[in-house]
Amino acid sequence: MATKTDLADRDVAIPLIVFIFAVCGLYVSSLSSYLLFHALVEIFCILVLLGSFVVAWNSRRQLDNHYFLFLAISFLSSGTFELLHTLSYKGLSIFPGYDANLPTQFWIASRYVFSLSFLIAPVFIARRLKVAVTLAAFACITALLVSAVFSGSFPDCFVEGAGLTPFKVYSEYVIIAVLAAAIMLLLAKKEAFDTRVLRALIWSLTTAAAADVAFTKYVSVYGSANLLGHLFLLLSAFLVYRAIVVTGIEDPAALLFRSLELSREQFRRSIADAPIPVIMHAEDGEVLQVSGSWTELTGYAVEDIPTLKAWLDRAVSAADCDAVRTAVSELCAGNRQSFRWEMSILTRDGRSRYWNISASSPGTLQDGRRFVVCMAVDITERRESEAALQRGNLRLDLLASNASRLLESDAPQQLVDELCQKVMSYVSCDAYFNFLVDEQAGCLRLNACAGISAACAESLRYLEYGVAVCGCAARDACRIVAENIPEVPDPRTELVKSLGITAYACHPLMSHGRVLGTLSFGTRTRKTFSEDDLSLMKAVADQVSIAMERKTTEENLQQAKQAAEAASRTKSQFLANMSHELRTPMTGVLGMLDLALQSPSDLERSDYIRTAYRSGRSLLQILNDILDLSKVEAGKYSLDLKPFSLKSCVAEAVDIAAPEAKRKGIELELDLAQDLPARVAGDQVRLRQVLTNLVGNAVKFTERGRVTVQVEVADKTPEGESLLRFRVSDTGIGIPQDKRHLLFQAFSQIDDSNTRNYGGTGLGLAISKEIVQRMGGEIGFESGEGVGSTFTFTARLVVPHPDEQPAEVAVSESVAPDPGGQELAGLRLLIAEDDATIRQVLATMLQRLQFSVDFAEDGAKVVEMWRQGEYDLILMDVQMPRMDGFQATRAIREQEQGGRIPIIAMTAHAMKEDQRRCLDAGMDDYISKPINFKECIEKVMGFACRR
């Protein structure tokens, strides 16, 4: 039996033997008639060219490239030129009037078209050919070249008697070069051709080039060179015949580019290597092939799903299965070209994926069954992104719509239920709880909830800090997320576990670091929350916090506004009262002085003046209260600690109020404990001020009965301190319950109406409270309206050791010698004062003591007079024109030589810091205005005695 190799060798040998006999026959014919030889060779070449066109044209739809289709179209043009070359050959006399140049010109045109077509054809191995355009182009080229030849425009190629022209020879060489280049391109693209076809094409071009070499050598068209060239041309045509015509007729599928086999293999490979899931199945459902991506994504290989139904039953829902079967049926029936749909599938490991599937039926199998190719694009991530984006948009819409309502609402806590119901629906929760801080109760109070019974909500009305999840979140001011609650033991989750909740998230409502409450959500269907769920819960909690913070801020601002308005009203009333309190004693001073000026009686005049003096002292007390209050508000209130007699201090305070008590007919009792220390160290003046204020108030507000002052030791320390308790009781009008909060507040009075029965500035108790606190004690009261009041305060005072001597008193408190001493007469005093009235009073007072007094109206005058005269003492006003008292004192101290003149400051600045400033400037003592003239004279005489 013959093998495939034997058959192949026989297929090559027989045509070769036939070709050899044909060559021999043609050669014999050339010996008898060259025209016959030439005509037979050319006709064979023309038939080969036309046959190639017919084969390529008929198989153009099966070709996987258009290389041969391009050559076949070009063969129509070159075959036309060869036909004209044959018909115009010398001796046939078809074209009379033309010599041997005409067929030579057609030959050159034919060879140019033939060689250039082979050079260009490889372009169409990978590029589709526009057939109509190519046919039109070659038709135009043919027509133009034929017209050029017959019109004489084409260059001469042969001259009778001379032979070939240079143009014809050089053209042959150019054609040879073009054919060589075409051979090189074929070798470069050899993978696109069957080996036998490629070999036949290369040898065809080689023999064509050999023919062109022979055609450059002949002189006579009947010469041997021309004969040899036509024999090479015959061989070239035979090889083209073998490469195209025979293979195209006998085995077009296997050899002509191996089109179908290559296409099938490429098709199978393209499915296997496809980067997306692909499945190919027959119309009866048999799965033929799946891509690697299909197996990777679904977990199913071809052997796992022998039929389409097997896969659909495992991975696709029933509704989608019916849709897929309907689409496949319509595709196989030819009713539809393609289908496209989206559906969800399950992978082998149970994961859900979402695919965009397109299906088409591109053809039939060899057994006649139609097949369907389905390609899928996994759009799971895209769908999840779209879903996430949609959820994000819904979340933003939810937050935006509720943010404006929360911020605009006057009661945002009432909107919590509506907002939380929406959040529950969005995050698939079953319950929520909103607790708010109840500062009075000191725990959390349930503001709103859902998902539990009314009885359960009532039992959760109050929640202690640190109890359950919400109590811990409020206590620690942090978010608590409890997941998988039934399986994770946690004491904090016992409460929500009893409600069937499996996952719970509690967020504190914060405002500037302060916890306002909590907002929590729970689910009974899931064990965990997503980050998106928790993020939304936090955003809602933040919104509620901001809204509640805004509401709290507005309430605080409203309260502050009301407090400011109340303070403004209080101060306005205080100023009105103060105006009354200041004008009343001032009216007494001016009125009594006016009566004294008009009275002829010395006795009446003296009485008027004493009354005016008392009014002036009252006015001074009011000014002192205002000064003390300014010290308190400025934080400059201080105590002057010195030893003093406790009993004497208390008695003096009681004695001050005794005349008024006697006038009103009420008893004023003093009860001192036996164990009171005789002397204590503290600020005697401030202690007496507190007692005077309390005792004076008791007498003022008591119309009948008694006022009792008690002092006792409340406590003692080993360090020598005693805590003394002072109690002032009365049987007066008492203090109404709704007015008690006004006590100890500056500018406040129990009765601030214009018809009030009792005067006063409303500053005494506020100043007393500050003094008591500075003394390390406390002040309080008990009162019953219509029964009386008891004010109690404590003071921590130091008890000196018995061996300790009393502290040395200040110079300003030294006792002056007897003013009647004659040795002080004639002392010269310089008084620096710019006020004429004060100058007159001081002059009168001091001249009565036989002092010599000079006056200066400003500081510069003081320095000048001091230089010129010898003075024993200077009374220096602090505030004066040109040069003040401080500057004048410094100037004097800088210019002094030897002795030091005493300088006593006079100023309306009555604070301790002002006294220190005077001493630092070089002054020796200090007198505050309004001047106590008795104190002034004592200080002057004291310094005078020292000199």
Side-chain angles (χ1 to χ4, degrees):
M1 182 180 291
T3 63
K4 290 183 178 181
T5 303
D6 295 336
L7 293 175
D9 292 341
R10 186 171 61 186
D11 290 340
V12 174
I14 293 174
L16 182 59
I17 294 171
V18 173
F19 174 75
I20 293 173
F21 278 107
V23 171
C24 293
L26 287 173
Y27 177 74
V28 172
S29 66
S30 68
L31 296 177
S32 61
S33 174
Y34 183 82
L35 289 177
L36 178 61
F37 166 78
H38 180 268
L40 291 174
V41 172
E42 295 294 344
I43 289 172
F44 176 77
C45 291
I46 294 170
L47 291 175
V48 169
L49 293 176
L50 292 177
S52 299
F53 171 76
V54 172
V55 171
W57 181 262
N58 290 330
S59 61
R60 65 185 183 278
R61 289 185 175 85
Q62 285 75 38
L63 297 175
D64 58 355
N65 66 62
H66 284 182
Y67 176 88
F68 274 109
L69 183 59
F70 177 80
L71 286 180
I73 294 174
S74 71
F75 287 169
L76 281 178
S77 178
S78 58
T80 300
F81 287 120
E82 287 210 28
L83 178 60
L84 291 173
H85 164 74
T86 303
L87 295 177
S88 63
Y89 205 80
K90 184 179 179 180
L92 293 180
S93 302
I94 295 177
F95 298 103
Y98 291 92
D99 56 13
N101 182 46
L102 182 63
T104 308
Q105 288 176 318
F106 282 126
W107 169 257
I108 289 298
S110 174
R111 300 308 288 171
Y112 267 120
V113 172
F114 180 85
S115 61
L116 289 174
S117 297
F118 269 97
L119 183 65
I120 297 173
V123 173
F124 299 102
I125 293 176
R127 182 176 299 179
R128 303 296 293 177
L129 179 68
K130 294 181 180 179
V131 177
V133 175
T134 305
L135 284 171
F138 276 106
C140 292
I141 292 172
T142 303
L144 289 174
L145 290 176
V146 170
S147 299
V149 171
F150 282 112
S151 65
S153 301
F154 197 88
D156 291 335
C157 296
F158 184 84
V159 177
E160 292 288 350
L164 300 176
T165 64
F167 171 76
K168 200 273 183 184
V169 175
Y170 293 143
S171 292
E172 295 287 4
Y173 291 140
V174 170
I175 291 168
I176 293 170
V178 171
L179 291 173
I183 293 172
M184 299 300 294
L185 287 177
L186 276 175
L187 291 173
K189 302 289 184 178
K190 62 183 179 180
E191 68 277 357
F193 300 92
D194 182 80
T195 304
R196 287 175 292 171
V197 174
L198 178 65
R199 186 166 57 244
L201 287 175
I202 291 175
W203 280 110
S204 174
L205 294 177
T206 303
T207 55
D212 287 309
V213 172
F215 290 143
T216 62
K217 302 301 182 182
Y218 72 90
V219 176
S220 172
V221 293
Y222 304 109
S224 58
N226 201 358
L227 176 64
L228 181 61
H230 278 84
L231 291 177
F232 279 123
L233 184 63
L234 178 66
L235 179 59
S236 175
F238 172 76
L239 293 173
V240 170
Y241 165 79
R242 291 295 301 172
I244 299 177
V245 178
V246 174
T247 55
I249 294 173
E250 294 179 354
D251 196 5
L255 298 179
L256 193 58
F257 290 143
R258 298 167 295 168
S259 300
L260 187 56
E261 287 297 327
L262 288 174
S263 297
R264 288 177 178 174
E265 180 62 28
Q266 290 174 355
F267 185 66
R268 287 192 293 270
R269 188 181 299 116
S270 64
I271 291 178
D273 299 338
I276 60 175
V278 179
I279 183 172
M280 183 174 68
H281 63 86
E283 61 180 310
D284 58 0
E286 179 188 0
V287 176
L288 304 174
Q289 188 178 1
V290 296
S291 66
S293 294
W294 172 284
T295 303
E296 180 180 351
L297 286 177
T298 66
Y300 295 110
V302 174
E303 55 270 18
D304 299 322
I305 45 173
T307 63
L308 181 65
K309 181 179 182 302
W311 177 72
L312 291 176
D313 292 341
R314 295 184 187 182
V316 182
S317 64
D320 287 332
C321 280
D322 294 339
V324 172
R325 292 191 182 98
T326 301
V328 170
S329 298
E330 293 192 17
L331 285 173
C332 293
N335 297 332
R336 294 285 296 270
Q337 294 294 322
S338 63
F339 268 99
R340 182 183 295 272
W341 68 92
E342 293 183 0
M343 69 178 187
S344 177
I345 64 105
L346 286 177
T347 63
R348 191 165 190 169
D349 57 4
R351 291 181 295 114
S352 178
R353 311 294 295 178
Y354 213 85
W355 281 3
N356 185 325
I357 300 175
S358 61
S360 62
S361 179
T364 59
L365 301 172
Q366 291 180 351
D367 57 10
R369 293 182 298 169
R370 293 194 66 84
F371 66 92
V372 177
V373 177
C374 298
M375 294 179 289
V377 177
D378 192 315
I379 58 172
T380 306
E381 285 74 15
R382 191 196 76 187
R383 295 272 300 197
E384 291 175 350
S385 299
E386 291 175 351
L389 180 61
Q390 185 177 11
R391 289 196 302 271
N393 290 335
L394 292 175
R395 170 184 167 184
L396 291 176
D397 293 341
L398 174 65
L399 295 176
S401 62
N402 289 285
S404 58
R405 295 188 61 197
L406 283 171
L407 294 176
E408 293 171 0
S409 173
D410 292 332
Q413 62 272 19
Q414 297 178 4
L415 295 177
V416 170
D417 181 67
E418 179 181 348
L419 174 59
C420 290
Q421 292 283 1
K422 293 181 180 179
V423 176
M424 285 174 58
S425 175
Y426 182 84
V427 299
S428 301
C429 284
D430 304 297
Y432 87 88
F433 301 87
N434 172 224
F435 286 94
L436 298 179
V437 172
D438 190 330
E439 295 183 353
Q440 293 183 348
C443 61
L444 299 176
R445 175 178 53 82
L446 185 63
N447 177 60
C449 67
I452 60 174
S453 64
C456 184
E458 182 62 28
S459 67
L460 296 176
R461 185 173 182 81
Y462 291 98
L463 186 67
E464 297 294 332
Y465 287 104
V467 175
V469 176
C470 292
C472 293
R475 180 195 63 190
D476 302 333
C478 65
R479 183 184 76 174
I480 298 178
V481 179
E483 297 179 322
N484 200 13
I485 292 176
E487 301 176 12
V488 178
D490 187 344
R492 299 176 300 176
T493 61
E494 291 300 322
L495 176 60
V496 293
K497 183 190 294 185
S498 67
L499 301 175
I501 293 175
T502 55
Y504 192 72
C506 182
H507 294 76
L509 304 178
M510 304 295 296
S511 172
H512 299 293
R514 183 168 61 93
V515 178
L516 304 177
T518 64
L519 184 62
S520 53
F521 296 88
T523 176
R524 298 184 177 97
T525 58
R526 293 182 294 161
K527 294 184 178 181
T528 61
F529 292 111
S530 67
E531 286 299 325
D532 186 64
D533 293 341
L534 295 174
S535 177
L536 176 61
M537 295 177 193
K538 184 180 184 306
V540 172
D542 291 342
Q543 278 191 341
V544 174
S545 299
I546 292 172
M548 296 180 65
E549 178 186 354
R550 176 193 61 80
K551 183 61 180 175
T552 303
T553 302
E554 289 179 355
E555 292 176 351
N556 292 338
L557 290 175
Q558 184 65 25
Q559 293 175 359
K561 178 185 176 185
Q562 294 174 354
E565 292 174 348
S568 177
R569 289 193 299 270
T570 301
K571 285 197 174 184
S572 297
Q573 187 62 46
F574 166 77
L575 292 176
N577 294 341
M578 188 61 65
S579 175
H580 170 77
E581 294 296 331
L582 290 173
R583 291 175 182 275
T584 298
M586 182 59 69
T587 302
V589 171
L590 296 178
M592 290 299 104
L593 291 178
D594 187 50
L595 291 175
L597 292 174
Q598 297 177 15
S599 175
S601 170
D602 291 340
L603 183 59
E604 289 182 353
R605 189 181 300 113
S606 297
D607 185 57
Y608 294 153
I609 292 174
R610 280 194 293 272
T611 302
Y613 180 79
R614 285 196 299 272
S615 297
R617 298 299 298 178
S618 298
L619 181 62
L620 179 60
Q621 183 59 44
I622 293 174
L623 295 176
N624 286 336
D625 285 346
I626 296 174
L627 180 62
D628 286 343
L629 180 63
S630 67
K631 291 179 181 179
V632 171
E633 292 184 345
K636 297 181 178 180
Y637 201 84
S638 60
L639 301 178
D640 187 11
L641 302 181
K642 294 180 182 179
F644 64 92
S645 172
L646 177 61
K647 296 181 180 180
S648 298
C649 176
V650 176
E652 289 173 3
V654 173
D655 290 343
I656 293 175
E660 180 65 14
K662 183 178 181 181
R663 184 188 68 80
K664 298 178 71 173
I666 59 177
E667 297 181 17
L668 182 58
E669 299 177 353
L670 177 60
D671 182 8
L672 301 178
Q674 296 296 324
D675 58 345
L676 287 179
R679 295 182 65 81
V680 293
D683 194 324
Q684 176 183 2
V685 175
R686 297 304 180 190
L687 179 61
R688 184 167 59 240
Q689 181 178 352
V690 175
L691 287 170
T692 300
N693 183 274
L694 296 180
V695 176
N697 285 345
V699 172
K700 179 168 64 174
F701 294 107
T702 302
E703 297 299 330
R704 62 181 61 87
R706 68 173 56 83
V707 173
T708 302
V709 180
Q710 296 175 303
V711 184
E712 61 185 4
V713 178
D715 190 17
K716 293 182 179 181
T717 65
E719 291 77 14
E721 286 186 345
S722 290
L723 183 66
L724 303 181
R725 181 180 293 113
F726 301 83
R727 185 178 295 109
V728 179
S729 304
D730 64 64
T731 58
I733 60 176
I735 303 171
Q737 186 70 30
D738 61 337
K739 298 290 186 179
R740 294 184 181 185
H741 67 282
L742 298 175
L743 293 181
F744 306 113
Q745 294 184 17
F747 315 117
S748 298
Q749 294 176 306
I750 301 301
D751 183 7
D752 58 1
S753 65
N754 292 329
T755 59
R756 59 187 180 146
N757 296 322
Y758 305 99
T761 62
L763 299 177
L765 287 180
I767 296 173
S768 297
K769 180 181 179 181
E770 179 68 21
I771 293 174
V772 170
Q773 290 177 346
R774 293 296 177 93
M775 289 183 174
E778 298 178 349
I779 188 170
F781 71 96
E782 296 177 355
S783 180
E785 189 171 2
V787 177
S789 304
T790 298
F791 281 80
T792 303
F793 74 92
T794 57
R796 194 172 297 278
L797 302 174
V798 178
V799 180
H801 193 272
D803 297 335
E804 294 181 6
Q805 297 297 324
E808 184 179 347
V809 297
V811 174
S812 60
E813 296 180 352
S814 61
V815 180
D818 183 9
Q822 297 297 321
E823 65 277 8
L824 299 179
L827 288 177
R828 296 189 63 193
L829 304 181
L830 177 59
I831 300 176
E833 176 59 61
D834 59 336
D835 185 89
T837 301
I838 297 178
R839 289 202 303 268
Q840 180 181 358
V841 173
L842 287 173
T844 302
M845 291 283 186
L846 295 173
Q847 286 174 355
R848 286 179 180 177
L849 297 175
Q850 299 180 3
F851 290 153
S852 174
V853 180
D854 292 329
F855 293 95
E857 291 78 10
D858 58 66
K861 186 67 173 177
V862 170
V863 176
E864 181 182 353
M865 293 179 67
W866 169 77
R867 285 200 205 98
Q868 296 175 356
E870 294 185 0
Y871 294 97
D872 298 301
L873 184 141
I874 299 177
L875 289 175
M876 182 76 75
D877 187 18
V878 172
Q879 289 182 311
M880 292 183 294
R882 295 180 62 189
M883 181 184 292
D884 62 31
F886 299 114
Q887 295 172 327
T889 300
R890 292 191 187 94
I892 291 173
R893 295 307 183 203
E894 290 174 358
Q895 299 177 31
E896 277 184 327
Q897 296 179 357
R900 174 186 174 93
I901 184 171
I903 300 177
I904 300 175
M906 298 183 299
T907 179
H909 301 294
M911 294 188 178
K912 202 169 189 68
E913 291 77 9
D914 301 315
Q915 180 179 0
R916 173 56 54 190
R917 186 182 177 192
C918 293
L919 298 178
D920 291 342
M923 300 176 183
D924 299 284
D925 211 335
Y926 174 95
I927 299 174
S928 62
K929 295 181 180 180
I931 298 174
N932 184 326
F933 293 103
K934 179 180 179 182
E935 178 187 6
C936 176
I937 292 173
E938 288 177 351
K939 288 182 179 287
V940 170
M941 295 182 67
F943 279 104
C945 290
R946 291 183 182 182
R947 292 181 63 87

